[in-house]
Structures are given as C-alpha cells and as structure tokens.
Amino acid sequence: MAAVSSSFHFCSSARRAPINSISLKLAQLASSFTQPLLRALQRGPARIDMAGVIKKTSGRLLDAFVDFAFHFEDQPWLPSQSNFMPVDEIEEAVIISNIEGEIPHDFPEGVYIRNGSNPLFGALQSGSSVLGLCSETWVEGEGMLHALSFSRATPAAVSVGSGGAWTLSYKNRFVESKTFQLERSRNHPAFLPLIEGDAPAVLASFLLNKLRFGKMAKDLSNTNVLEFSGKVFAVAENHMPLEIDLLSLETIGDWDLSGAWDRPFMAHPKQNMSLMILPQKAPGGELVFVGADGKKPFLVLGVVSVDGKELKHKVDLKLERGIVCHDIGVTERYNIILDMPLTFDIVRLMKGGPLLKYEKESYARIGVMPRYGDSDSIKWFDVEPYCTLHLVNCYEDGDEVVVRGGRSRGSIIPGPDLGRNKCQWFSSGFKLKLAGEDCDGNPNEGLLNFRLHEWRLNMKNGSVRNRYLTGSDLSIEFYMCNDLFVALPKYGGLMKLYLDEKDSTTMQENDNGGSVKVERHPLGANEFCSGAAFVSKLGGVQEDDGWIISFVHNEHTNTSQVHIIDAKNFKDDPVAKIILPKRVPYGFHGAFIPMPNRL
C-alpha cells in the first residue's frame, strides 16, 4: 500500500542585518566579553575560577559574534503550505467523541502515533551574513509527535458520546532532544543552518556550531516512530534514537545501547522477521540498521539483539563517499544496502559546491550482505543512477534477491542549489506525465516523481534485471506493508498495489511486462494526507487483514481527521472518520503501536 503524491511549493528568502544596527551589536559584543570578567574580579582573587570564567566568557563572546555576524529570518509560508505550519503543544490529552461511522469491534487497542517537522520558532530559518546565505531545508524543523489513543470504553462511558465502545484521546508533544531544550531555554534560534546555502556561510556555520555547542548540527528527531522490544523511539538520520513514553509522549533519553553505538542512526531500520513466530509479533526479530556520517567511516551497520539490550554486530561498510541512507532492506539471510548518489561531501563544500547534492552523473550500487558479514562479504551490483528513499520489500527468489522500492530521476532533498527558486522547481518536478505527453524539452519536468521499481539481483552470476512496476502517470511514495509479511510533500490519496497481478490498462512504456494492478482510495476535495500506517486485525492471518490509518487534513475547512480504511475493501469510504479537536500538520512517518499491556 502506498500514497499518491502531489506537487507542493516551498520558497525561502533572507535579508542581511541593517547597517544602522552594527554599532549597537559591536557594543553588545564588547559587553558580552568584559562583563563576566569584571563580575569575577569584583568577587575577589580567591574566589575566581579562571577556567570557568574563560569558558563562560568565550561562550558569550561566540554567541555575541553570531548575533553580530548572522541575521536569522523566518522562511515565508505560502498559502498552499498552510498545513505545514507548526502548531503549539497541548497541555493535556483531549477526549474525542465526534466520530463519523464506527470503529470496528475487532480493531486493537493501541496508539496511532506519527512524527513530523514542527519548527519551534514558527518557521524554518535562514541565516544571512557577509559570507552569504545558509538555510534550513523543508525536511528540517523540530520533531513533534501526534498521537491518537484507542482504548475500550467502560460500560458507563459507552452511553456517553458517539465513540460507542471506545474511548479515544488525542495528544501532541515535541520530541525534546538536548539541542531542542537548549534552543527553547534561549527562546530564539541558536544553531546556524548548514544543509544548504553559500559555501562560505555553511562552512562558518559548521565551525561556529561546533565551537559553541560541541556539535555541528541540531538533533532533529522528526522523521519516524519505531517500536522495538517493548519500547518506543523517535528516530531520524542525524543522531541517535530518543526513547519516548508512549502514553505521555515524554522524551526519556538517548538510546545508545549502553554506549555501544556512538554515531547517527537511521529513519527506517528493519526487523529480521525470519526470527518471528507468525502470526503473533512476539518474540520479535533482531533490529538491523545503519548509521551514516559525512566523514569516515561513512556508513556503519549494526544488528541489535531481540531484547534490545545488546549490539550483536557492528561493521564499517567501507564506503568511499558520504551518502544519505534513509532506508535499508532485509531478507531471510541478507541485508540490502542502497549506495545511491545522494551525497554529503565536505571537500565539495570547501571548493564552493553544495554540501548535499544528488550527483546524477555518479555511480550507483545495491549491496547484498550476509546478516553478520563484513565489508568484504558484500556483493555489489552496479545499477543506473537512482534516488530511492523508501523500499516496499525485499525477498529471495531462487538465485535472485528482489528489491522493490520507489525510484525517481532526481532528489527532493535538498532542492535547488542555494535554496532559491524552489516554488517553480518543485512544481515542475512533481508534474505527472500522462499517456502520449512529452516534457516540451524541460528536463526538470517529472524529475521528482517516484515510480515503483524492481531490481532482481542474481547472486550466482552477478547480473541485474530491472523494470518499472507502475507507469509514469502515477507518483507513489511513503510505502507501508503489514509488518508480519515484510522481509514535505502532501498526498491526495492512498493506493493498494497488487505486486503479483498485472494491469493491462496501465501504461506499458519501458515496463518490460507491464504495470502491476493498482487500487486507489482518493481523498475528498481539498483533502490531503501524509504518511499512513497499517493496523493488523486481531487474529488476522492474511496480508491485508487489517486497516490503513492516516491523519487527513481538509484545506478548505482547515480541520483535521483520522481516517480508518478497510484494507480488504480499499476503494470504499473509510469505516470511520475521527474528527480531531486540533489541526495536525502534514508530517512524515508513524506507526500503530498496541497498548503496552497488550504487547
């Protein structure tokens, strides 16, 4: 099952500090250096902690220098981006009784929880200076969790409200990383942006962030929610997972596996489901993941024990470049590594180029690695350059390892160089190509659309067979499956893919056998969703025994709902629409997690 994407727009701008403010800032700069030292001297020589004074003074000096040299400015929101705008935390969970339809009687108790970007200070930030512009990208912004809890009501509650036999409550909360706490305590932006912008400004941001805070970038746990071994984590690409209390949404702390993992994690780790006892989820499988970095070792793979307490395997994959690795695959015996040319390159930045870039002329590979192998055990398959952020599934078929995922000709991250002209660039890149239509010579048209693609990697002779499984008239992303069968755009609907059935009515171009059968669940007029989740039916055994659940927003009425869709009757109207008391911005990924006492 997957989501149909639609075009979206994003623009950014920044201005430099006015000249008439320079004298005031120079005075503030001098004051920040001298005042701590004068206060220390007034206390007397015997009471001076010079190391502490120097540290505090240097910190104030660096802060004042940043305030003097850089001007922070909110990136503007366009009218079409109204539901990307952040919301405030709510203090207490809100009970919900406004429901259209009925929640199925065999729906499990649990929490539907989704992560997403929610900029702390109202908007993404740009910073301008004499060195140029540095900007946050559309995937940045502090993480916020939105959670809808389902519990069976007591007999007294059944007679009250339209929730029937259910009690529902909604809550949201920021993911409180250490850097989030730091900026909130200052009540203004502190970390300089560094993913895109003019190279001198980005290099200065790296250095100043490191000197001031001991790290080069903010920890943004804004991408996904992971449940593993009875615990819940907010995860993203740029740092370690943060454990979350499922009911209160409070942030508990870093999950570093007792110090065994000391680098970034990833958004889409995978459980080795071959260790699982079906159809129940217990006892679960080992967790396989990678951590990417902009310096060597560029990519390290880890395997965590079933109980979540031990890092059983850790290996440097010895890549020769820094890459974005948003997703990996697992089969019964193998780990699947995507080495695509979406790269981080400090040397390129120092030469005046962008830090993050999709290098369409560079090489691309897919690696197949035994579960506990080392870098020498990886069998690499050279393929045409691709951008794949999300996999659907991977499995073994005789001598072949089959990898299925979304493939596009370009990358939506970070966008055009230097963060300018995003509006037209995104709109053109997301334009669908209909039957018989050409692109009028515009190489960017349709560049960002994802089509479902299949690579068949022959482990015996090293050959690769590949084909598109969907036509260019569809753009499909944010895939999800029933977990028991697994080996900031907005979306106008959901789709169910029948990967073993052909649809003769769809486009055949370059598909080597035709497209797969697709079933659509369009949303209403002016309604859009983001990442959805699959909810397994109690006692279900078939792959589509369950429901699709997703936050949906109506841009005309500015109201948000949660839709529950029967996966076996996918084209039908939702079995339930739950009207939420607050607006829920579009976000990224989430999960439905059974109540802790039901795990």
Side-chain angles (χ1 to χ4, degrees), residues 199-221:
V202 173
L203 284 169
S205 297
F206 268 105
L207 177 62
L208 289 167
N209 287 345
K210 183 68 175 178
L211 289 173
R212 297 166 73 206
F213 308 118
K215 59 193 324 174
M216 291 180 289
K218 288 193 290 187
D219 297 335
L220 298 174
S221 290

Side-chain angles (χ1 to χ4, degrees), residues 316-334:
D316 176 6
L317 301 185
K318 297 186 178 178
L319 267 60
E320 292 302 319
R321 61 184 179 183
I323 64 168
V324 172
C325 192
H326 189 69
D327 202 354
I328 60 170
V330 294
T331 69
E332 184 176 355
R333 294 180 293 168
Y334 300 115

Side-chain angles (χ1 to χ4, degrees), residues 77-89:
W77 298 103
L78 297 178
S80 61
Q81 297 172 322
S82 60
N83 198 46
F84 288 94
M85 296 176 65
V87 295
D88 295 329
E89 287 181 314

Side-chain angles (χ1 to χ4, degrees), residues 269-335:
K270 292 294 190 299
Q271 281 187 266
N272 174 17
M273 310 305 276
S274 64
L275 297 181
M276 299 179 70
I277 299 175
L278 299 179
Q280 297 176 342
K281 195 165 184 179
E286 297 169 331
L287 190 71
V288 184
F289 64 99
V290 296
D293 207 333
K295 61 183 184 300
K296 286 189 175 183
F298 291 121
L299 198 67
V300 175
L301 180 137
V303 181
V304 182
S305 60
V306 173
D307 61 9
K309 296 180 179 179
E310 178 187 359
L311 184 63
K312 295 180 64 175
H313 190 57
K314 181 180 181 182
V315 57
D316 176 6
L317 301 185
K318 297 186 178 178
L319 267 60
E320 292 302 319
R321 61 184 179 183
I323 64 168
V324 172
C325 192
H326 189 69
D327 202 354
I328 60 170
V330 294
T331 69
E332 184 176 355
R333 294 180 293 168
Y334 300 115
N335 309 318

Side-chain angles (χ1 to χ4, degrees), residues 149-272:
S149 299
F150 296 78
S151 59
R152 298 191 185 278
T154 62
V158 170
S159 61
V160 183
S162 60
W166 293 89
T167 296
L168 280 67
S169 65
Y170 164 78
K171 185 174 179 60
N172 69 1
R173 190 152 188 172
F174 277 111
V175 182
E176 296 192 9
S177 66
K178 291 183 175 65
T179 60
F180 170 87
Q181 294 171 350
L182 184 151
E183 286 203 317
R184 186 166 63 177
S185 68
R186 294 185 175 212
N187 201 32
H188 62 79
F191 279 82
L192 292 166
L194 47 73
I195 295 300
E196 63 180 7
D198 298 291
V202 173
L203 284 169
S205 297
F206 268 105
L207 177 62
L208 289 167
N209 287 345
K210 183 68 175 178
L211 289 173
R212 297 166 73 206
F213 308 118
K215 59 193 324 174
M216 291 180 289
K218 288 193 290 187
D219 297 335
L220 298 174
S221 290
N222 67 6
T223 310
N224 202 0
V225 178
L226 164 70
E227 185 271 315
F228 178 64
S229 188
K231 295 183 178 180
V232 179
F233 305 95
V235 291
E237 245 85 282
N238 74 335
H239 68 113
M240 289 179 286
L242 286 170
E243 186 179 351
I244 302 296
D245 182 275
L246 181 60
L247 299 181
S248 69
L249 303 186
E250 290 182 4
T251 303
I252 297 173
D254 292 341
W255 185 47
D256 64 357
L257 293 162
S258 301
W261 191 258
D262 58 354
R263 59 186 289 115
F265 201 72
M266 72 178 310
H268 295 283
K270 292 294 190 299
Q271 281 187 266
N272 174 17

Side-chain angles (χ1 to χ4, degrees), residues 333-532:
R333 294 180 293 168
Y334 300 115
N335 309 318
I336 311 301
I337 311 299
L338 304 178
D339 184 7
M340 63 181 179
L342 181 55
T343 63
F344 283 96
D345 193 333
I346 300 294
V347 175
R348 181 174 62 211
L349 177 68
M350 295 177 68
K351 293 179 179 179
L355 173 65
L356 179 61
K357 181 181 180 180
Y358 180 69
E359 300 180 294
K360 61 182 179 180
E361 305 301 329
S362 187
Y363 66 90
R365 307 182 296 175
I366 300 177
V368 181
M369 169 190 178
R371 179 77 69 241
Y372 303 103
D374 57 17
S375 60
D376 294 332
S377 71
I378 305 174
K379 187 174 183 64
W380 289 105
F381 295 82
D382 294 325
V383 297
E384 292 184 5
Y386 63 94
C387 182
T388 294
L389 297 180
H390 301 106
L391 294 174
V392 176
N393 208 352
C394 304
Y395 63 94
E396 299 169 35
D397 184 13
D399 292 333
E400 293 181 320
V401 172
V402 181
V403 180
R404 288 170 169 170
R407 183 182 188 272
S408 67
R409 297 185 292 116
S411 172
I412 59 176
I413 305 171
D417 290 350
L418 307 184
R420 299 180 175 96
N421 303 319
K422 286 185 184 297
C423 305
Q424 185 176 355
W425 188 83
F426 275 121
S427 296
S428 174
F430 277 114
K431 183 176 180 181
L432 292 173
K433 180 182 177 182
L434 303 179
E437 191 177 52
D438 60 35
C439 62
D440 298 324
N442 181 358
N444 185 55
E445 193 161 293
L447 183 73
L448 307 179
N449 290 328
F450 283 92
R451 296 171 63 186
L452 184 58
H453 195 79
E454 176 185 87
W455 295 267
R456 301 186 74 95
L457 314 174
N458 193 300
M459 298 295 291
K460 191 172 183 178
N461 61 29
S463 64
V464 179
R465 293 189 295 151
N466 66 96
R467 59 175 179 149
Y468 281 111
L469 298 178
T470 57
S472 59
D473 59 334
L474 300 174
S475 183
I476 308 173
E477 251 288 39
F478 278 48
Y479 310 97
M480 98 281 300
C481 297
N482 184 335
D483 284 345
L484 298 182
F485 292 82
V486 170
L488 225 21
K490 59 188 180 184
Y491 302 88
L494 300 168
M495 297 172 60
K496 181 178 180 180
L497 305 175
Y498 294 80
L499 297 177
D500 295 325
E501 298 184 39
K502 292 289 196 292
D503 186 351
S504 60
T505 65
T506 57
M507 293 177 61
Q508 303 292 312
E509 58 174 35
N510 301 321
D511 286 345
N512 299 326
S515 301
V516 299
K517 179 182 175 182
V518 176
E519 201 169 59
R520 307 188 189 207
H521 180 94
L523 298 174
N526 298 308
E527 288 187 340
F528 300 92
C529 66
S530 47

